[in-house]
Amino acid sequence: MTDPDAGRLFEAMDATWPAAEVRKHGAFTLRRSPGGGKRVVAASLRGCVPPSPVAVQEVAAQQSNWNQIRIFQLQPGQAAFDAQLDALGYEVVDPVTLYCCALPFECACDLPRMSALCHWPPLEVQREIWASGGVGPDRIEVMARAAGPKASIFGLHGDAPAGVAFVATDQDIAMVHALEVSPKFRRQGVAQRMMVGAGNWAAAQGTSHLALAVTDANEAANALYQSLGMRPVAQYHYRVAR
């Protein structure tokens, strides 16, 4: 089975964590959203040819008109554009790795019953867990916009609500977003069980791969995903106007 490439994963990320509005401006894709994080407000360059300084200024002006931060997503192969933004005073934030693996997980059969429940919409207790980790109503609204099959993953430790995540599909790829475990239940296997639950749900929808994006600074999450056999496919980062 051929794994999806970086370009396909970026498409799936846009589809499963969608902006409220997407516009094309020359070689750029612009995203507008009333909250929801960097992924749904960052502009991205299509291709690798550096744009003119005027084009960059036009994109930044539109972002300001939308009352959004001036932010660009830098994808693989865009080193020249990255250097251009650096010279214009944009600083690097949040280096991210995209992970992917084929389904099903090898450990799928080890999932205890009633440890990772999949349903939509999320329950109030799930919203509370998300809110405690900084995932508020604006990000819930992003999830609601996802057009394909989707589910909230409700992680339980015994009978106690312990974690939550979101998973949605785009054709052959399912992507996991906003995985959050309550502090008192961390390092007890909750996140691993939710990931296996997400993979089982995704396989049942007919998808062949599970993917996600995680900041490089989150060492525990990176170790977890690698332990599940997920492989790093691509890296990207943002540049924000100082």
Side-chain angles (χ1 to χ4, degrees), residues 64-75:
S64 295
N65 289 339
W66 283 338
N67 294 317
Q68 295 184 172
I69 58 174
R70 291 172 290 161
I71 181 171
F72 293 85
Q73 182 193 78
L74 279 300
Q75 299 181 4

Side-chain angles (χ1 to χ4, degrees), residues 6 8 26 36 50 53 73 75 81 83 92-93 96 99 113 153 158 165 176 188-190 196 223 227 239:
R8 179 69 190 92
Q73 182 193 78
Q75 299 181 4
F81 180 39
V92 173
V93 293
V96 174
Y99 284 92
R113 184 174 177 273
I153 312 299
V176 175
Q188 298 182 57
V190 174
V196 174
S227 75
R239 279 196 179 268

Side-chain angles (χ1 to χ4, degrees), residues 156-192:
L156 298 170
H157 188 71
D159 294 328
V164 63
F166 174 69
V167 60
T169 69
D170 179 49
Q171 300 178 52
D172 58 334
I173 298 174
M175 290 203 77
V176 175
H177 302 274
L179 190 152
E180 183 68 31
V181 177
S182 296
K184 67 179 180 180
F185 293 111
R186 291 174 185 169
R187 301 183 184 279
Q188 298 182 57
V190 174
Q192 181 184 35

Side-chain angles (χ1 to χ4, degrees), residues 16-96:
T16 59
W17 196 258
E21 180 183 356
V22 177
R23 291 187 190 178
K24 299 293 177 61
H25 181 85
F28 285 101
T29 298
L30 281 63
R31 299 172 181 84
R32 182 190 65 80
S33 287
K38 298 180 184 67
R39 295 179 194 173
V40 290
V41 298
S44 57
L45 178 68
R46 301 189 305 279
C48 300
V49 178
S52 69
V54 171
V56 175
Q57 292 170 2
E58 290 174 348
V59 170
Q62 181 61 73
Q63 291 174 323
S64 295
N65 289 339
W66 283 338
N67 294 317
Q68 295 184 172
I69 58 174
R70 291 172 290 161
I71 181 171
F72 293 85
Q73 182 193 78
L74 279 300
Q75 299 181 4
Q78 296 180 342
F81 180 39
D82 195 30
Q84 180 182 14
L85 288 176
D86 183 51
L88 291 171
Y90 285 76
E91 62 183 354
V92 173
V93 293
D94 287 348
V96 174

Side-chain angles (χ1 to χ4, degrees), residues 1-23:
M1 181 186 298
T2 302
D3 289 340
D5 60 17
R8 179 69 190 92
L9 291 182
F10 280 110
E11 291 175 356
M13 186 163 61
D14 279 343
T16 59
W17 196 258
E21 180 183 356
V22 177
R23 291 187 190 178

